[in-house]
Amino acid sequence: MPFAKRIVEPQLLCRNQVPNDEGLPLEDLCAISNVVLSRTLRQLSDLARHACSLFQELENDITSTNQRVWVLQNKIGQIQQTASALDPKKEAVRK
């Protein structure tokens, strides 16, 4: 089971009151919805950044695994060529 590298949790969108230019809490519904929308977009941006990072790590892991498998296939091919070149009648068997 893989270890957790990141913990992504949603943050509060509109629980805190944001003061406007005069230091008063936002009273206009349009201003509140704009704040909520901007916070939502910021959270989606962070989530997309985490997803991009995860996919990059996954791509790197898959690439390194592919290279190791390719090396192993080459070694197995060389061993098969060596084994097929051996003549069982000419080779001495040790006791």
Side-chain angles (χ1 to χ4, degrees):
M1 183 170 194
F3 296 109
K5 292 185 177 182
R6 295 169 188 82
I7 298 175
V8 178
E9 294 178 349
Q11 299 295 317
L12 302 176
L13 294 178
C14 57
R15 182 148 314 171
N16 297 336
Q17 292 182 350
V18 180
N20 60 10
D21 294 337
E22 295 140 4
L24 299 173
L26 296 175
E27 298 172 357
D28 186 13
L29 182 61
C30 183
I32 293 173
S33 64
N34 285 340
V35 169
V36 171
L37 180 62
S38 67
R39 289 180 181 176
T40 304
L41 289 174
R42 188 174 298 130
Q43 287 187 22
L44 285 174
S45 171
D46 290 342
L47 183 63
R49 190 171 6 99
H50 283 296
C52 181
S53 172
L54 284 172
F55 284 125
Q56 285 176 348
E57 288 179 13
L58 184 62
E59 180 183 6
N60 293 339
D61 291 344
I62 289 172
T63 302
S64 68
T65 302
N66 183 35
Q67 290 173 349
R68 291 189 322 215
V69 167
W70 188 77
V71 168
L72 286 175
Q73 283 178 342
N74 287 339
K75 287 182 180 180
I76 290 171
Q78 291 173 355
I79 291 172
Q80 285 177 341
Q81 287 177 355
T82 304
S84 65
L86 294 176
D87 187 12
K89 295 182 180 178
K90 292 183 180 178
E91 298 296 324
V93 178
R94 298 181 193 168
K95 291 185 180 182

